[in-house]
Amino acid sequence: MPGENLSRDEARERAELLTVDGYEVALDLRSAVGESASERRTFRSVTTIRFRCLTPGAATFADLVAPSVTAVTLNGRELDPAVVFDGARIALDGLAEENVLVVDAQCAYSRTGEGMHRFVDPEDGEVYLYTQYEPADARRVFANFEQPDLKAPFRFEVTAPEGWTVWSNGAEESREGGVWRFAETAPISTYITCVVAGPYHYVTDTYRRGDLEIALGAMCRKGLAKHFDADDVFLVTKQGFDFFHDNFDYPYPFGKYDQAFVPEYNLGAMENPGMVTFREEYIYRGKVTRAAYERRANVILHEMAHMWFGDLVTMKWWDDLWLKESFADFMGSFSLAEATRFTNSWVTFANNRKAWAYRADQLPSTHPITADIRDLEDAKLNFDGITYAKGAAVLKQLVAYAGREAFLEGARRYFKRHAYGNTRLEDLLSVLEETSGRDMSAWARSWLQTSGVDVLAPSVAYGEDGRVAELAVLQEGEELRPHRAAVGLYRLEGGELVRYARAEVDVTGERTVVAELAGAERPALVLVNDDDLTYCKVRFDEGSLETLRAHLGDITDPLARALCWSALWNLTRDALLPARDFVDLVLRFAGRESDIGVLQMLHAWARTALTHYAAPAWREEGGRLVAAGALRELRAAEPGSEHQLTWARFFAATAAADADFKLLEGLLDGSVAFDGLDVDQELRWSLLEPLAAHGHADESVIAAELARDDTASGKRHQVRCLASRPSGAVKAQAWAQVVESDALSNALVEATIAGFAQPSQRELLAPYAPVYFEVIERLWAERSIQIGMDVVRGLFPSLQDDPATLERADAWLAAHASSAPALRRLVLEARDDLARALRAQSCDASAA
């Protein structure tokens, strides 16, 4: 990645110098197909940029990452590409007041999901293209000024192979002789421009609201067409448009609205205006649970919220990335709960999204929501749990603090005041102060400009009559923030744990008395942050913890139950609750969990507890207990239910004994069946991987499964299963394919890493721990940042959970103080996860 970085200071200087009036981009993509397409890895890109310079005679640069440049012309003056182009930048000097730059380049097709990604479908040989740029990969497709605050209108022209269809941000204006021309866009940033091209399956619909009419489109590969439930995608899309038009008072500003589900996508989705892209895994090839449809709907609405927060109004620099991502994350859950069938979305938010935030906020790399982003590498790593989920949780707190209508009216004024412009934190705060009447600066200092997570715990004193004499909320943390929080009191009634009293309070400082609850009947459970109004970790008093050990499954309210599970998981991660105790709670109460998304999180947490937090001496016994418990719940689940499917997947993932593996083999060959359980192709792969990882399925069995499912999805599953086999030769081959070669696509790199790191193969993987630290700096320098991130994170030897690995990580960090900050951050985070695991293991061992 040398030479490709861009600093905040460089971007600021360029923004002060230039105003961009427009782009015309012509791409010739015919080289994507044909007999020699695999050798022709480039396409022609001709870009015309019209821009003004505040200081005539000054010098600047344009951004372009390309194998070669054929010609550069500035104001009619030909520049020598060999002189002005260094592989990442085009030097421009002698600027006039008004300028025209024309760059004719050969740009590279990508196999990493960055820039112009080229995918060949193994099922039918068809080629599919799409672009993905955030934060700064548009320069891999056309020359530009790659920073968010140099917005401009764009016109795209694409020459495509015969039989293809092409889409871009603007509506199609014409197509003639294989040349597709698109309408000029409104002023947008480079990173949200987009081109999608290929023989995609395309479905259309229309959204109507009064005089407003929006053409809707949705597309996927032809091989997925039979699985594509476009009607549901359009339903959620229309519900989202209704919600945002009702609440934002600003019509959707970008004309049409296409949504493309594309292969080998690194992200969940990307908010390109008029041309949103999603990972194609959101098209489900087999039976999935309601939680999967909820996740997809949330992503659809998250990206739609970006049309206003991020596309219409964009941050000046990546410091204020939260101005789009936190809002979109909040609005995704907000609109999901109020406009769709997924009315329990705040339960998912509390249990799932905030877990991501809590982890990120306790890493040594934690940062304020408004972060210090020095350059593009910093920006790439800050698409994290703090920017998304913590920011969204803080906005949820803001709604409780300022009021819903004040918050939404602030958003309306923000859009109208800054449409098509760029903003910073103070621009948002000013409108919120206007609408709420509150001083937002103190709130922002506490919540947006500091890092870390506070801990809230109850302190209860009882009178002689057994009633609450005083209840206080205690706060711990480096930054004691103001919290608008609810405290709920619960008691047992007819075998159910129900809330009988609740009070909201402004928590300030170390101790806040909740006067409203004085005199209340003695509770069995005190739940701080009931209703999940604020962002904090929750602790319990001893009586409440004992109640949960006996009655967690009796809590009737799904949000309260999810909050208790989340708090117990945080206790486990913080080495305050033994991992075996958490696993025991899951085995005793998860079978009663009605919310399928919460159940799936409990399964994921239980596996993490077993793999990383359980004392090594107890792992084998714990694994047997979990597998037996999963099988018990699988047998008890309602036939054909999503709970049955979820327990089947969990049983497969935790299978530990020969009898377990024989059952999995029976499900695959049909000799074993559970009433109502449809063993479709996706479930077959889920059953096969643990068999491969434990030596019960060899290469021929995996090949036979691929023959049943010779698709792009099948290929990814096959690669993962092959890499999971318990063989030294297999591990050596997988390591070489990822570390020593760049032949694999991003999706197959991900699949290989996932197969390589198997918890049951710690001894087999041990030799790679020292090698990891020897190769990561070279790998980081040679690979794209996306692949570098995937490999450095994915291959960190976290399964070698002993002090020696911790010492190796510390030694590497000490010896590489000057290495790329982004690389050091990844190693530091993984090292911290390992240290946390060792503390949790010590806690668990003490419970033996």
PDB file of all heavy atoms in Angstrom, residues 357-381:
ATOM      1  N   ALA A 357     -20.289  -2.823  19.797  1.00  0.00           N
ATOM      2  CA  ALA A 357     -19.788  -1.556  20.321  1.00  0.00           C
ATOM      3  C   ALA A 357     -19.022  -1.756  21.625  1.00  0.00           C
ATOM      4  O   ALA A 357     -17.940  -1.178  21.819  1.00  0.00           O
ATOM      5  CB  ALA A 357     -20.951  -0.587  20.529  1.00  0.00           C
ATOM      6  N   TYR A 358     -19.567  -2.567  22.531  1.00  0.00           N
ATOM      7  CA  TYR A 358     -18.911  -2.770  23.822  1.00  0.00           C
ATOM      8  C   TYR A 358     -17.516  -3.364  23.633  1.00  0.00           C
ATOM      9  O   TYR A 358     -16.570  -2.975  24.321  1.00  0.00           O
ATOM     10  CB  TYR A 358     -19.754  -3.687  24.713  1.00  0.00           C
ATOM     11  CG  TYR A 358     -21.069  -3.080  25.155  1.00  0.00           C
ATOM     12  CD1 TYR A 358     -22.223  -3.861  25.225  1.00  0.00           C
ATOM     13  CD2 TYR A 358     -21.173  -1.741  25.507  1.00  0.00           C
ATOM     14  CE1 TYR A 358     -23.438  -3.326  25.639  1.00  0.00           C
ATOM     15  CE2 TYR A 358     -22.381  -1.189  25.914  1.00  0.00           C
ATOM     16  CZ  TYR A 358     -23.511  -1.988  25.970  1.00  0.00           C
ATOM     17  OH  TYR A 358     -24.707  -1.458  26.372  1.00  0.00           O
ATOM     18  N   ARG A 359     -17.397  -4.317  22.711  1.00  0.00           N
ATOM     19  CA  ARG A 359     -16.077  -4.902  22.470  1.00  0.00           C
ATOM     20  C   ARG A 359     -15.112  -3.842  21.946  1.00  0.00           C
ATOM     21  O   ARG A 359     -13.995  -3.685  22.461  1.00  0.00           O
ATOM     22  CB  ARG A 359     -16.164  -6.054  21.468  1.00  0.00           C
ATOM     23  CG  ARG A 359     -14.793  -6.602  21.090  1.00  0.00           C
ATOM     24  CD  ARG A 359     -14.803  -7.616  19.955  1.00  0.00           C
ATOM     25  NE  ARG A 359     -13.435  -7.977  19.603  1.00  0.00           N
ATOM     26  CZ  ARG A 359     -12.686  -7.325  18.712  1.00  0.00           C
ATOM     27  NH1 ARG A 359     -13.187  -6.274  18.075  1.00  0.00           N
ATOM     28  NH2 ARG A 359     -11.457  -7.715  18.450  1.00  0.00           N
ATOM     29  N   ALA A 360     -15.525  -3.096  20.918  1.00  0.00           N
ATOM     30  CA  ALA A 360     -14.638  -2.109  20.305  1.00  0.00           C
ATOM     31  C   ALA A 360     -14.230  -1.030  21.296  1.00  0.00           C
ATOM     32  O   ALA A 360     -13.092  -0.542  21.276  1.00  0.00           O
ATOM     33  CB  ALA A 360     -15.323  -1.482  19.090  1.00  0.00           C
ATOM     34  N   ASP A 361     -15.143  -0.660  22.190  1.00  0.00           N
ATOM     35  CA  ASP A 361     -14.889   0.450  23.100  1.00  0.00           C
ATOM     36  C   ASP A 361     -13.983   0.063  24.259  1.00  0.00           C
ATOM     37  O   ASP A 361     -13.573   0.920  25.042  1.00  0.00           O
ATOM     38  CB  ASP A 361     -16.216   0.984  23.634  1.00  0.00           C
ATOM     39  CG  ASP A 361     -16.200   2.491  23.856  1.00  0.00           C
ATOM     40  OD1 ASP A 361     -15.213   3.137  23.466  1.00  0.00           O
ATOM     41  OD2 ASP A 361     -17.181   3.013  24.416  1.00  0.00           O
ATOM     42  N   GLN A 362     -13.669  -1.227  24.382  1.00  0.00           N
ATOM     43  CA  GLN A 362     -12.764  -1.679  25.441  1.00  0.00           C
ATOM     44  C   GLN A 362     -11.416  -2.131  24.892  1.00  0.00           C
ATOM     45  O   GLN A 362     -10.570  -2.619  25.658  1.00  0.00           O
ATOM     46  CB  GLN A 362     -13.428  -2.808  26.235  1.00  0.00           C
ATOM     47  CG  GLN A 362     -14.667  -2.322  26.986  1.00  0.00           C
ATOM     48  CD  GLN A 362     -15.420  -3.457  27.632  1.00  0.00           C
ATOM     49  OE1 GLN A 362     -15.120  -3.876  28.755  1.00  0.00           O
ATOM     50  NE2 GLN A 362     -16.407  -3.985  26.929  1.00  0.00           N
ATOM     51  N   LEU A 363     -11.217  -1.969  23.606  1.00  0.00           N
ATOM     52  CA  LEU A 363      -9.925  -2.275  23.005  1.00  0.00           C
ATOM     53  C   LEU A 363      -8.961  -1.110  23.228  1.00  0.00           C
ATOM     54  O   LEU A 363      -9.392   0.030  23.422  1.00  0.00           O
ATOM     55  CB  LEU A 363     -10.091  -2.525  21.503  1.00  0.00           C
ATOM     56  CG  LEU A 363     -10.813  -3.810  21.099  1.00  0.00           C
ATOM     57  CD1 LEU A 363     -11.132  -3.801  19.606  1.00  0.00           C
ATOM     58  CD2 LEU A 363      -9.981  -5.039  21.455  1.00  0.00           C
ATOM     59  N   PRO A 364      -7.664  -1.368  23.180  1.00  0.00           N
ATOM     60  CA  PRO A 364      -6.710  -0.255  23.321  1.00  0.00           C
ATOM     61  C   PRO A 364      -6.811   0.764  22.190  1.00  0.00           C
ATOM     62  O   PRO A 364      -6.335   1.892  22.322  1.00  0.00           O
ATOM     63  CB  PRO A 364      -5.345  -0.962  23.320  1.00  0.00           C
ATOM     64  CG  PRO A 364      -5.599  -2.303  22.721  1.00  0.00           C
ATOM     65  CD  PRO A 364      -6.992  -2.667  23.065  1.00  0.00           C
ATOM     66  N   SER A 365      -7.436   0.369  21.091  1.00  0.00           N
ATOM     67  CA  SER A 365      -7.610   1.283  19.949  1.00  0.00           C
ATOM     68  C   SER A 365      -8.913   2.065  20.030  1.00  0.00           C
ATOM     69  O   SER A 365      -9.284   2.738  19.065  1.00  0.00           O
ATOM     70  CB  SER A 365      -7.593   0.482  18.649  1.00  0.00           C
ATOM     71  OG  SER A 365      -8.616  -0.509  18.667  1.00  0.00           O
ATOM     72  N   THR A 366      -9.610   1.986  21.177  1.00  0.00           N
ATOM     73  CA  THR A 366     -10.858   2.727  21.285  1.00  0.00           C
ATOM     74  C   THR A 366     -10.622   4.204  20.991  1.00  0.00           C
ATOM     75  O   THR A 366      -9.522   4.734  21.192  1.00  0.00           O
ATOM     76  CB  THR A 366     -11.490   2.563  22.682  1.00  0.00           C
ATOM     77  OG1 THR A 366     -12.752   3.225  22.701  1.00  0.00           O
ATOM     78  CG2 THR A 366     -10.607   3.146  23.767  1.00  0.00           C
ATOM     79  N   HIS A 367     -11.653   4.849  20.534  1.00  0.00           N
ATOM     80  CA  HIS A 367     -11.530   6.251  20.128  1.00  0.00           C
ATOM     81  C   HIS A 367     -12.864   6.935  20.336  1.00  0.00           C
ATOM     82  O   HIS A 367     -13.908   6.268  20.425  1.00  0.00           O
ATOM     83  CB  HIS A 367     -11.111   6.344  18.654  1.00  0.00           C
ATOM     84  CG  HIS A 367     -12.047   5.621  17.725  1.00  0.00           C
ATOM     85  ND1 HIS A 367     -13.201   6.199  17.230  1.00  0.00           N
ATOM     86  CD2 HIS A 367     -12.020   4.367  17.213  1.00  0.00           C
ATOM     87  CE1 HIS A 367     -13.830   5.334  16.458  1.00  0.00           C
ATOM     88  NE2 HIS A 367     -13.142   4.208  16.428  1.00  0.00           N
ATOM     89  N   PRO A 368     -12.874   8.249  20.421  1.00  0.00           N
ATOM     90  CA  PRO A 368     -14.163   8.945  20.489  1.00  0.00           C
ATOM     91  C   PRO A 368     -14.979   8.698  19.223  1.00  0.00           C
ATOM     92  O   PRO A 368     -14.445   8.335  18.177  1.00  0.00           O
ATOM     93  CB  PRO A 368     -13.768  10.424  20.608  1.00  0.00           C
ATOM     94  CG  PRO A 368     -12.363  10.409  21.108  1.00  0.00           C
ATOM     95  CD  PRO A 368     -11.737   9.179  20.536  1.00  0.00           C
ATOM     96  N   ILE A 369     -16.287   8.895  19.332  1.00  0.00           N
ATOM     97  CA  ILE A 369     -17.138   8.735  18.161  1.00  0.00           C
ATOM     98  C   ILE A 369     -16.681   9.698  17.064  1.00  0.00           C
ATOM     99  O   ILE A 369     -16.615   9.333  15.883  1.00  0.00           O
ATOM    100  CB  ILE A 369     -18.610   8.955  18.542  1.00  0.00           C
ATOM    101  CG1 ILE A 369     -19.077   7.829  19.473  1.00  0.00           C
ATOM    102  CG2 ILE A 369     -19.498   8.997  17.303  1.00  0.00           C
ATOM    103  CD1 ILE A 369     -20.443   8.051  20.076  1.00  0.00           C
ATOM    104  N   THR A 370     -16.367  10.930  17.453  1.00  0.00           N
ATOM    105  CA  THR A 370     -15.721  11.841  16.502  1.00  0.00           C
ATOM    106  C   THR A 370     -14.221  11.591  16.613  1.00  0.00           C
ATOM    107  O   THR A 370     -13.568  12.050  17.539  1.00  0.00           O
ATOM    108  CB  THR A 370     -16.037  13.314  16.832  1.00  0.00           C
ATOM    109  OG1 THR A 370     -15.690  13.558  18.196  1.00  0.00           O
ATOM    110  CG2 THR A 370     -17.498  13.617  16.624  1.00  0.00           C
ATOM    111  N   ALA A 371     -13.694  10.845  15.677  1.00  0.00           N
ATOM    112  CA  ALA A 371     -12.346  10.303  15.814  1.00  0.00           C
ATOM    113  C   ALA A 371     -11.298  11.224  15.199  1.00  0.00           C
ATOM    114  O   ALA A 371     -11.603  12.149  14.453  1.00  0.00           O
ATOM    115  CB  ALA A 371     -12.280   8.931  15.144  1.00  0.00           C
ATOM    116  N   ASP A 372     -10.056  10.941  15.538  1.00  0.00           N
ATOM    117  CA  ASP A 372      -8.915  11.645  14.952  1.00  0.00           C
ATOM    118  C   ASP A 372      -8.401  10.791  13.795  1.00  0.00           C
ATOM    119  O   ASP A 372      -7.654   9.842  13.995  1.00  0.00           O
ATOM    120  CB  ASP A 372      -7.832  11.843  16.013  1.00  0.00           C
ATOM    121  CG  ASP A 372      -6.599  12.549  15.453  1.00  0.00           C
ATOM    122  OD1 ASP A 372      -6.741  13.269  14.439  1.00  0.00           O
ATOM    123  OD2 ASP A 372      -5.504  12.370  16.018  1.00  0.00           O
ATOM    124  N   ILE A 373      -8.837  11.119  12.577  1.00  0.00           N
ATOM    125  CA  ILE A 373      -8.482  10.321  11.399  1.00  0.00           C
ATOM    126  C   ILE A 373      -7.389  11.053  10.634  1.00  0.00           C
ATOM    127  O   ILE A 373      -7.641  12.026   9.922  1.00  0.00           O
ATOM    128  CB  ILE A 373      -9.721  10.082  10.504  1.00  0.00           C
ATOM    129  CG1 ILE A 373     -10.820   9.414  11.309  1.00  0.00           C
ATOM    130  CG2 ILE A 373      -9.338   9.246   9.292  1.00  0.00           C
ATOM    131  CD1 ILE A 373     -10.461   8.052  11.853  1.00  0.00           C
ATOM    132  N   ARG A 374      -6.172  10.565  10.774  1.00  0.00           N
ATOM    133  CA  ARG A 374      -5.030  11.250  10.174  1.00  0.00           C
ATOM    134  C   ARG A 374      -4.916  11.020   8.681  1.00  0.00           C
ATOM    135  O   ARG A 374      -4.415  11.868   7.947  1.00  0.00           O
ATOM    136  CB  ARG A 374      -3.738  10.782  10.852  1.00  0.00           C
ATOM    137  CG  ARG A 374      -3.658  11.112  12.328  1.00  0.00           C
ATOM    138  CD  ARG A 374      -2.644  10.255  13.041  1.00  0.00           C
ATOM    139  NE  ARG A 374      -3.054   8.835  13.013  1.00  0.00           N
ATOM    140  CZ  ARG A 374      -2.393   7.872  13.629  1.00  0.00           C
ATOM    141  NH1 ARG A 374      -1.296   8.137  14.307  1.00  0.00           N
ATOM    142  NH2 ARG A 374      -2.829   6.615  13.563  1.00  0.00           N
ATOM    143  N   ASP A 375      -5.379   9.851   8.228  1.00  0.00           N
ATOM    144  CA  ASP A 375      -5.180   9.510   6.826  1.00  0.00           C
ATOM    145  C   ASP A 375      -6.162   8.417   6.421  1.00  0.00           C
ATOM    146  O   ASP A 375      -7.014   7.995   7.215  1.00  0.00           O
ATOM    147  CB  ASP A 375      -3.733   9.072   6.566  1.00  0.00           C
ATOM    148  CG  ASP A 375      -3.269   7.945   7.483  1.00  0.00           C
ATOM    149  OD1 ASP A 375      -4.105   7.076   7.828  1.00  0.00           O
ATOM    150  OD2 ASP A 375      -2.091   7.916   7.864  1.00  0.00           O
ATOM    151  N   LEU A 376      -6.038   7.934   5.193  1.00  0.00           N
ATOM    152  CA  LEU A 376      -6.992   6.969   4.662  1.00  0.00           C
ATOM    153  C   LEU A 376      -6.896   5.609   5.344  1.00  0.00           C
ATOM    154  O   LEU A 376      -7.903   4.906   5.483  1.00  0.00           O
ATOM    155  CB  LEU A 376      -6.790   6.812   3.155  1.00  0.00           C
ATOM    156  CG  LEU A 376      -7.181   8.019   2.302  1.00  0.00           C
ATOM    157  CD1 LEU A 376      -6.851   7.756   0.838  1.00  0.00           C
ATOM    158  CD2 LEU A 376      -8.665   8.341   2.468  1.00  0.00           C
ATOM    159  N   GLU A 377      -5.704   5.205   5.768  1.00  0.00           N
ATOM    160  CA  GLU A 377      -5.586   3.927   6.474  1.00  0.00           C
ATOM    161  C   GLU A 377      -6.319   3.993   7.805  1.00  0.00           C
ATOM    162  O   GLU A 377      -6.990   3.040   8.203  1.00  0.00           O
ATOM    163  CB  GLU A 377      -4.113   3.546   6.662  1.00  0.00           C
ATOM    164  CG  GLU A 377      -3.442   3.096   5.376  1.00  0.00           C
ATOM    165  CD  GLU A 377      -2.096   2.430   5.622  1.00  0.00           C
ATOM    166  OE1 GLU A 377      -1.748   2.199   6.794  1.00  0.00           O
ATOM    167  OE2 GLU A 377      -1.401   2.134   4.643  1.00  0.00           O
ATOM    168  N   ASP A 378      -6.199   5.122   8.506  1.00  0.00           N
ATOM    169  CA  ASP A 378      -6.991   5.303   9.724  1.00  0.00           C
ATOM    170  C   ASP A 378      -8.478   5.186   9.412  1.00  0.00           C
ATOM    171  O   ASP A 378      -9.239   4.559  10.148  1.00  0.00           O
ATOM    172  CB  ASP A 378      -6.728   6.690  10.322  1.00  0.00           C
ATOM    173  CG  ASP A 378      -5.469   6.741  11.172  1.00  0.00           C
ATOM    174  OD1 ASP A 378      -4.822   5.693  11.351  1.00  0.00           O
ATOM    175  OD2 ASP A 378      -5.127   7.832  11.660  1.00  0.00           O
ATOM    176  N   ALA A 379      -8.892   5.833   8.321  1.00  0.00           N
ATOM    177  CA  ALA A 379     -10.313   5.844   7.954  1.00  0.00           C
ATOM    178  C   ALA A 379     -10.815   4.433   7.713  1.00  0.00           C
ATOM    179  O   ALA A 379     -11.906   4.059   8.162  1.00  0.00           O
ATOM    180  CB  ALA A 379     -10.533   6.709   6.723  1.00  0.00           C
ATOM    181  N   LYS A 380     -10.035   3.623   7.016  1.00  0.00           N
ATOM    182  CA  LYS A 380     -10.468   2.267   6.687  1.00  0.00           C
ATOM    183  C   LYS A 380     -10.748   1.456   7.945  1.00  0.00           C
ATOM    184  O   LYS A 380     -11.713   0.685   7.997  1.00  0.00           O
ATOM    185  CB  LYS A 380      -9.385   1.581   5.843  1.00  0.00           C
ATOM    186  CG  LYS A 380      -9.762   0.197   5.340  1.00  0.00           C
ATOM    187  CD  LYS A 380     -10.749   0.249   4.208  1.00  0.00           C
ATOM    188  CE  LYS A 380     -10.955  -1.128   3.585  1.00  0.00           C
ATOM    189  NZ  LYS A 380     -11.959  -1.096   2.502  1.00  0.00           N
ATOM    190  N   LEU A 381      -9.946   1.645   8.988  1.00  0.00           N
ATOM    191  CA  LEU A 381     -10.113   0.860  10.203  1.00  0.00           C
ATOM    192  C   LEU A 381     -11.195   1.417  11.123  1.00  0.00           C
ATOM    193  O   LEU A 381     -11.581   0.765  12.084  1.00  0.00           O
ATOM    194  CB  LEU A 381      -8.787   0.770  10.965  1.00  0.00           C
ATOM    195  CG  LEU A 381      -7.946  -0.473  10.639  1.00  0.00           C
ATOM    196  CD1 LEU A 381      -7.484  -0.469   9.194  1.00  0.00           C
ATOM    197  CD2 LEU A 381      -6.762  -0.595  11.577  1.00  0.00           C
TER     198      LEU A 381
END
